[in-house]
Amino acid sequence: MTILELIQVILFFALLIGLTPILGNFLYKVFIARKHFLYPALGWLERLTYKAGGINPDEESNWRTYAFGLLLFNFIGFLFLFVMQLLQSHLPLNPAHVRDVSWHSAFNTAVSFMTNTNWQGYSGETTMSYLVQMIGLTVQNFVSAATGIAVLLALIRGLTRKTTEQLGNFWVDLTRSTIYVLLPLAILFSIVLTGQGVIQNFHSYQTVQTLTGKTQEIPMGPAASQIAIKQLGTNGGGFFNANSAHPFENPTPFSNFLEMFAILLIPASLTFTYGKMTGSVRHGWTIFTAMFILLLAGLCVSLYAEYHGNPIFGNHALMEGKETRFGITNSILWSTSTTAASNGSVNAMHDSLSPLAGMVAMVNLMLGEVIFGGVGAGLYGMVIFIILTVFIAGLMVGRTPEYLGKKIEAFEVQMTLIAILLPSIVILVFTAWASVSAPGLASLNNNGPHGFSEILYAFGSAAGNNGSAFAGLNANTVFYNLALGTAMLIGRFGVILPVMAVAGSLARKKSTPVSSGTFRTDNWLFIALLIGIILIVGGLTFFPALALGPIIEHLLLMNGITF
Amino acid sequence: MKSFVIALRIFLFLTVLTGVAYPLLVTGIAQLFFPSKANGSIIYNGNKPVGSSLIGQSFDSSAIYFHSRPSAISYNPLPSGGSNYGLTSRKLKEQFEQRKQLFTSDNLLDAHTEIPSEMLFASASGLDPHISPEAALMQVDRVSGARHFSDSGKIILKNLIHQLTEPPQFLCLGQERINVLLLNLETDKLK
């Protein structure tokens, strides 16, 4: 690693820390409906949305109604995208004449984009029409991210309000997140990206005659508008098969820096917003710090693994599946960020990462996407771990656990455990199933432990709603499309529903005033405990599986053994 | 039922906003300010499109051209992608050894020459348009030999590589690199 590369990493994190309070403060104003600088420009659009939906923005609802609205909205989005893929050859804006998507792939993709996973079982440039990319996928990129924010806002209201049933209005939260946050940022990003060379047009694929006289068919399309939101909304589903490794998606080091930055921007800022909304900015930074430490730890292990030589390739830089314009460091910074935040876009092929770097990516997925995590989703996932931490700390000192003044009782802990265990069970059970069944094994691209890693990664990615892949696995089969689709649904709603129930239960409680006996959640002791709990839960659950995959592969690599 | 109607109406409205208005707005702005880039950075030789400056091409069959990186898809963009071989893959090890031999013998290099890694490994997109300047310089002898360049021609070719080498962007982002298609186009112009 050179000084130049180190500077890029430092610049990246400095900018992230610098912008977190700025954007976080703006988000705070948006979410509590205080006047902000975009209100005069876009307020009419917000009011128009309410009019179009026929809703009263001042009407609030309890957690059940809130969650029901969320489920309905997501279901309609799923259905729309599912049907559109099945009919795309009969619809306009299909200059490449791609055919209708198979039912199982359409199911997988529709679930995937609705749940903010954005797993790509398909190759964009040979499977999806421009219409589906725009009206189907891009829309879900926006609203699935906004859905995540909405759940977080309901949870915050549950924590801060006293003795009430009301958790806010789902439609209002959805609308504000989309109109004031995601849309303006996406417009800004996509324009800068086109300035770097990301394409944005509606032309047919262009055929050129290369210098050596061969023909090359170059795909086109409205890519920039989708890429901006897939990075910002922690979605990650690329316009092209190679995702952000494709030169049309990510043409320059600067576009790479921006896209990588967009992955973490909103999830990081939300920690500040969370602190501000719960009345303790310090607590927000505490959460940020815990996430940041986990991110840095993963980055260091990955960089070490990539720059450490091995007997097979000597000291050659491991450029398999990486692009020259980015090099090793930018590829690893991306692979760590995209799996920590539940983004899932890639600028290098994770399947070809060194075993330990691949393991860090997997661990990030398996911890439940709480290291910054998905937009909204990462933070509500983290709050689940905080509740568990507070509970365990309470057990240690023999006192009723409290969090932000709310008593944590049996019901909250039950829900917390469901939210943590359900995705973990899905990962392990489905991986085990795929590892011993013929349709599960038929899709492998690698032999030996790396083949097992491909399966483990796939279900970790699906249940964590990440969407990145060890892409050698041919997941576009009936078995994987259905199994992974199911894992995504459980990984998304198996967490959202318990979180909403916790929010509802907390809102009903009184608030206990802070006393000298209150367990503090804004100091280093708490950070250490929180990180400890996350690693113990994750480690105990997944260490055996990791030992069979990346860990043993690392040991074999160091002995020069191939399969 | 009331909730369903609300959900449907909001969904349709947001679909028009984020799925139609937003991409069209971005297309409009992009086509106005960056028309060439928004349309794929296509390079023309006269009137004929010969490629995109962002999409690599294969030059392996031709000794008079600088060669691009190995590609798992032979530079056919439909669809893009890498090999997805893990580091313990025997196929990857074999390819690595073969590429090393081929690059050494093609370019008449000493057997112990350290070859830049990107020439031994396939890229992520399969369309990587760049190689390192070192990898280009190692090919100068072969290219100028095949084109019957004199010694001064060879120096001009080396200078061309230095000229076309892109430094890290804004001095600090990414890596030094050279675009193979642009280099070959310029090489064609040399006498």
Side-chain angles (χ1 to χ4, degrees), chain A residues 32 36 72 113 119 145 153 192 201 206 208 239 247 250 265 292 296 337 343 350 418 435 457 479 501 535 544 559:
Chain A
I32 65 159
H36 51 82
L72 262 182
F113 278 72
W119 169 270
L153 291 176
V192 178
N201 61 58
Q206 183 147 8
V208 299
F239 198 87
N250 193 359
L265 177 62
F292 193 67
L296 272 188
S337 303
N343 186 288
H350 288 192
I418 290 176
S435 308
Y457 195 106
F479 173 80
L535 292 181
N559 285 292

Side-chain angles (χ1 to χ4, degrees), chain A residues 211, chain B residues 64-65 147 183-191:
Chain A
L211 283 196
Chain B
I64 60 166
Y65 285 123
R147 287 175 182 262
L183 174 63
N184 282 330
L185 276 168
E186 290 302 314
T187 308
D188 270 348
K189 289 181 194 160
L190 297 178
K191 288 277 150 54

Side-chain angles (χ1 to χ4, degrees), chain B residues 37-49:
Chain B
K37 285 174 173 169
N39 293 327
S41 308
I42 302 292
I43 308 172
Y44 293 87
N45 205 352
N47 287 330
K48 254 181 40 193

Side-chain angles (χ1 to χ4, degrees), chain A residues 125 225 241 254 320 322 324, chain B residues 22 69 80 83 85 128 169:
Chain A
E125 59 270 57
S225 53
N241 190 42
F254 181 54
E320 184 72 19
K322 299 192 181 75
T324 312
Chain B
Y22 159 68
R69 288 184 66 180
S80 52
S83 72
Y85 288 140
D128 194 341
Q169 207 173 2

Side-chain angles (χ1 to χ4, degrees), chain B residues 26 30 36 43 132 144 184:
Chain B
V26 174
S36 160
I43 308 172
S132 65
S144 45
N184 282 330

